[in-house]
Amino acid sequence: MFLSARPFAGGIHPKGFKELTEDKYIDRLDSPDHLYLNLQQRNGAKLVSLVEVGETVFKGQLLAKGSSDMAVPLHSPVNGKLEAIKEVTSPHPAGLKTSCMVLSNNGDPRWGEDHRPCDFRQLTPEQIIQKVLDAGIVGLGGAAFPTGVKLRLARQAKVHTLLINGGECEPYLTCDDRLMREQAAEIVSGVQMMLKALGAQQAIIAVEDNKGEAIAMMADAIAELPQISLKSVPSLYPMGSERHLIKAVTGEMVPPGQLSTKLGILVNNVATARAVFHAVRFSRPLIERVITVSGAAVEEPGNLVVPIGTLVSQLIAQRGGLKVDAARLVAGGPMMGQALPSPFVPTDKSIGGVLALTESELRQEQSHACVRCGSCVEACPMGLMPFQMAAYSRVSDWPQAQHFGLDNCLLCGACSYVCPSKIPLVQYFQHARGNLNAQRSMRQKSAHARELTQARQLRLAKEAEAKKAAKAAKASKRKRPARRRAASGGEE
């Protein structure tokens, strides 16, 4: 089924650059000598290593876990040894250092344990969800939210529709497109497994209309599955946004501040569905993912199956290295991705693209004063007024920036892309949000400190009262013998 050309207000058509990689088969990265697994996750959750330095590890072995399901476990992508646990520069734009497990690779590609294929139809929904949790699967569209937790909460919310995101609207990125072309059957099997886990009535796979071969392969894979349908959506950025994909497919809009489960819908990415298939069918954890390596600076752009924890420099080297100096390295897409501080940082489960961009691709131009043309308002998919939010953010008036919708901003970059004055609007919004988050954190810390102070004062008051009562009881005990002697005339 084909939908209308513009299913939601706003949106843009940025130059795609997908021709660099879309017609090349997925390749596999040469086995790296060392991998770097981050013990602190994107959501701030920290993991604890379950193995000692110097210990031998096998491919698929559980290496680290957290205190709750929000901290997804880490598994070894290789057979080898845990060489060290040390501070390593992370992919964060600020180049922050985090604790990493450093694994050496002995080159043996076999899984450490062989698991017999499992028929998901013999499993309960709870067993499927537990397999997903145990496999350490996160949303592979970029959000990296724990998939098992997402499935569990959606089942509790009694969702009726599973929406599979095959939009991939970010320029350059084609990893999902290639997966749909090459692994459609595995994606659809993962969708079936998630349907059973959720108890949902139907699944809809949404694919952008510029991915003709992917649409054909997915249609063929669901041909005999009446519970699963396919819808082609317009190629419009940010179609990959959960809220806008839902609007494009169902016509409904998720209310601000609400989750999609409010409408009875759960959204998952096509790559996530394939990871669920491997976790449930073969009990294989998420230890690798497909990453697009592209940009005009890359000698041979393409898509690679990459073990989690591989250095960015190794991905680029696998694609022939750089033919010219890269003006910027980006993790993810150019619209919502993050600048990398160095090529010598490890990939993690959330990174679906590594771009080496030249000066001409960055469109870096001198910014000028806002001309109030309204282009940013017209492009905003959330119906906001970006120029007003930026004006108040620039003078640190955070409440007014919030009044104009800062909290509802997707940070998608559509406004910056169309701005004729080249104002870095998204950077203003990120700065404003950072300050607001810092203020919220400070208020939370102050409130916690007050609670601790009040609890201490209450405890001290109770202790003082208890001491006073004990002293009074002791004094009363001393007086009783004196009264008895007085009553007996001083004789015992």
Side-chain angles (χ1 to χ4, degrees):
M1 175 180 176
F2 284 79
L3 303 174
S4 62
R6 190 172 287 272
F8 52 81
I12 59 174
H13 292 91
K15 186 171 171 57
F17 298 101
K18 293 179 183 284
E19 67 279 0
L20 295 172
T21 57
E22 63 185 354
D23 292 327
K24 298 177 182 178
Y25 283 96
I26 297 171
D27 198 1
R28 181 168 287 274
L29 181 79
D30 293 339
S31 188
D33 293 332
H34 290 87
L35 296 174
Y36 304 82
L37 303 179
N38 200 336
L39 289 172
Q40 180 168 337
Q41 299 182 338
R42 291 293 180 100
N43 61 9
K46 293 186 177 181
L47 307 181
V48 177
S49 174
L50 303 178
V51 295
E52 299 292 333
V53 173
E55 191 174 335
T56 298
V57 299
F58 60 82
K59 183 177 178 179
Q61 179 181 346
L62 176 63
L63 297 183
K65 63 185 301 184
S67 58
S68 73
D69 289 334
M70 286 301 294
V72 293
L74 282 176
H75 301 78
S76 178
V78 295
N79 293 296
K81 184 173 68 172
L82 176 59
E83 286 202 347
I85 297 178
K86 65 179 185 179
E87 296 288 301
V88 173
T89 302
S90 74
H92 191 280
L96 303 176
K97 290 197 172 185
T98 55
S99 182
C100 280
M101 305 177 77
V102 182
L103 304 180
S104 61
N105 179 11
N106 66 17
D108 183 355
R110 294 173 296 179
W111 286 85
E113 294 179 351
D114 287 327
H115 294 278
R116 295 184 62 183
C118 170
D119 184 352
F120 79 94
R121 291 167 295 189
Q122 306 301 318
L123 301 176
T124 65
E126 292 75 18
Q127 288 174 322
I128 293 174
I129 292 173
Q130 191 59 53
K131 277 180 168 286
V132 174
L133 288 168
D134 292 343
I137 298 174
V138 298
L140 297 179
F145 191 87
T147 302
V149 174
K150 199 172 181 180
L151 291 172
R152 179 188 289 158
L153 294 176
R155 179 174 177 80
Q156 292 170 356
K158 295 181 170 53
V159 301
H160 52 70
T161 299
L162 172 63
L163 179 55
I164 301 299
N165 188 349
E168 196 169 41
C169 58
E170 275 270 11
Y172 293 94
L173 303 188
T174 60
C175 49
D176 288 348
D177 182 13
R178 290 308 318 180
L179 272 179
M180 288 187 285
R181 297 196 207 188
E182 299 178 38
Q183 303 293 344
E186 292 188 354
I187 292 171
V188 170
S189 292
V191 173
Q192 290 180 283
M193 294 167 182
M194 286 193 283
L195 272 176
K196 179 165 185 180
L198 293 168
Q201 301 164 10
Q202 65 169 339
I204 303 171
I205 302 173
V207 185
E208 283 188 319
D209 57 16
N210 61 352
K211 299 175 175 59
E213 186 178 340
I215 290 172
M217 297 302 294
M218 296 301 291
D220 185 60
I222 66 169
E224 299 180 5
L225 300 172
Q227 272 188 302
I228 306 176
S229 60
L230 179 68
K231 289 190 177 180
S232 174
V233 295
S235 175
L236 178 67
Y237 182 84
M239 184 60 73
S241 157
E242 179 177 292
R243 294 172 181 273
H244 295 87
L245 188 67
I246 290 172
K247 179 69 166 62
V249 173
T250 70
E252 297 185 77
M253 196 69 182
V254 180
Q258 299 289 333
L259 300 175
S260 65
T261 51
K262 184 78 173 177
L263 302 179
I265 300 171
L266 178 68
V267 180
N268 266 307
N269 174 266
V270 290
T272 308
R274 180 172 178 265
V276 168
F277 163 74
H278 282 275
V280 177
R281 176 71 169 161
F282 301 108
S283 296
R284 289 178 178 171
L286 179 61
I287 60 170
E288 61 185 23
R289 66 160 299 159
V290 179
I291 295 179
T292 300
V293 184
S294 192
V298 179
E299 184 69 44
E300 299 174 6
N303 286 286
L304 293 171
V305 178
V306 179
I308 304 301
T310 303
L311 293 180
V312 167
S313 58
Q314 292 175 290
L315 274 66
I316 296 173
Q318 179 82 16
R319 301 311 305 173
L322 299 178
K323 57 185 176 184
V324 295
D325 289 340
R328 183 180 300 167
L329 292 175
V330 176
M335 302 298 290
M336 297 187 72
Q338 292 187 328
L340 291 168
S342 159
F344 305 106
V345 296
T347 58
D348 59 30
K349 296 177 182 180
S350 70
I351 295 177
V354 170
L355 308 181
L357 305 177
T358 62
E359 291 283 359
S360 61
E361 290 173 294
L362 291 176
R363 301 172 64 242
Q364 290 182 322
E365 300 178 42
Q366 181 66 39
S367 63
H368 304 284
C370 176
V371 295
R372 297 293 194 273
C373 65
S375 296
C376 59
V377 178
E378 185 178 349
C380 180
M382 296 300 291
L384 305 177
M385 301 179 71
F387 73 95
Q388 290 282 33
M389 295 193 304
Y392 287 110
S393 297
R394 191 183 297 116
V395 295
S396 302
D397 190 341
W398 318 127
Q400 277 297 100
Q402 284 182 299
H403 173 73
F404 281 97
L406 180 65
D407 292 336
N408 294 325
C409 176
L410 295 177
L411 300 178
C412 68
C415 55
S416 296
Y417 187 86
V418 301
C419 178
S421 296
K422 311 303 177 187
I423 299 172
L425 296 165
V426 173
Q427 282 87 336
Y428 281 122
F429 306 152
Q430 290 172 331
H431 176 68
R433 280 192 174 178
N435 278 276
L436 285 167
N437 289 336
Q439 290 179 5
R440 292 189 191 106
S441 179
M442 187 63 70
R443 286 196 295 271
Q444 290 171 355
K445 288 179 181 178
S446 297
H448 184 56
R450 283 196 299 273
E451 289 174 3
L452 291 176
T453 301
Q454 291 170 357
R456 182 174 181 274
Q457 290 172 342
L458 182 61
R459 176 173 54 81
L460 292 175
K462 286 182 178 180
E463 289 176 356
E465 191 66 30
K467 287 179 181 179
K468 185 178 179 181
K471 187 175 180 181
K474 190 174 181 180
S476 176
K477 190 174 181 181
R478 284 199 303 268
K479 290 178 181 178
R480 286 195 200 106
R483 282 199 294 269
R484 284 199 297 269
R485 286 195 297 272
S488 61
E491 295 180 4
E492 290 292 339

